[in-house]
Amino acid sequence: ARTGTPTRGPRMYDFSVPPPALAAIGKFAPEGHTVRSSTSALAKLVDWHLSAPLAPHEVLAHQADFLAGQLTRPAGATQGATSDWNNALKLGYDVRLLSYPPWLLSLLEAHNLKEGVLPRVVRPGAEAASIDPAAAVRFGLPLNCKVVGGTTDSIAAFIAARATRPGQ
């Protein structure tokens, strides 16, 4: 929820949605797009909505988005989630356009969902928000700490491997 309190159980990375969610996505998403995977974040969002319609206060947050929100959202405050390009890819975010594509917005509209259900997306490494002072005190972090956009485990592993050429 916009308050940072989960409203539904988690969907693990390998959770595969049933056919109705994929059929709904297939009417809008380009052929071969990653969101057509039964384990994509968009498939999970659509499946949640088809199972029990999302309320206006509910938003999608990846694990990293949820944790960042816990560090940046003052108690009782309402806001959507913030994500990074890499986590948002399987949600349908277009890193060339730096926005959610028109077909995705049409899918949401067809299912009476607002764009606000999707996380705001920042560049990996870009400032997402300042830390909430109460969270800084709780976790022993400096009050001027900034929370930045992260990345996925696979991209982090690629960077850590220091691969510089194809085939490495």
Side-chain angles (χ1 to χ4, degrees), residues 2 14 34 47 82 87 125 145:
R2 294 184 190 283
D14 62 349
T34 58
D47 182 56
T82 299
N87 272 298
C145 180

Side-chain angles (χ1 to χ4, degrees), residues 5-151:
T5 303
T7 57
R8 299 175 188 235
R11 294 277 168 96
M12 301 307 289
Y13 190 79
D14 62 349
F15 178 84
S16 188
V17 303
L22 292 177
I25 291 169
K27 293 177 183 174
F28 295 90
E31 198 66 41
H33 197 287
T34 58
V35 299
R36 288 175 167 258
S37 163
S38 65
T39 59
S40 76
L42 182 60
K44 293 169 186 164
L45 176 67
V46 170
D47 182 56
W48 266 319
H49 186 64
L50 293 177
S51 299
L54 294 170
H57 69 279
E58 291 183 293
V59 297
L60 180 109
H62 301 93
Q63 296 92 324
D65 310 342
F66 176 78
L67 292 173
Q70 298 301 303
L71 292 172
T72 60
R73 181 184 296 107
T78 59
Q79 67 186 46
T82 299
S83 194
D84 64 85
W85 297 348
N86 298 316
N87 272 298
L89 285 174
K90 288 184 79 178
L91 189 52
Y93 188 78
D94 188 323
V95 295
R96 289 178 302 229
L97 299 175
L98 298 180
S99 65
Y100 290 106
W103 63 261
L104 176 54
L105 302 179
S106 295
L107 167 70
L108 294 178
E109 184 179 338
H111 291 277
N112 297 314
L113 289 168
K114 303 287 185 210
E115 185 177 354
V117 73
L118 303 173
R120 177 178 72 97
V121 179
V122 298
R123 173 183 53 78
E127 183 178 328
S130 296
I131 194 161
D132 173 57
V137 170
R138 179 177 179 199
F139 297 110
L141 299 169
L143 289 173
N144 64 349
C145 180
K146 303 293 183 198
V147 176
V148 301
T151 192

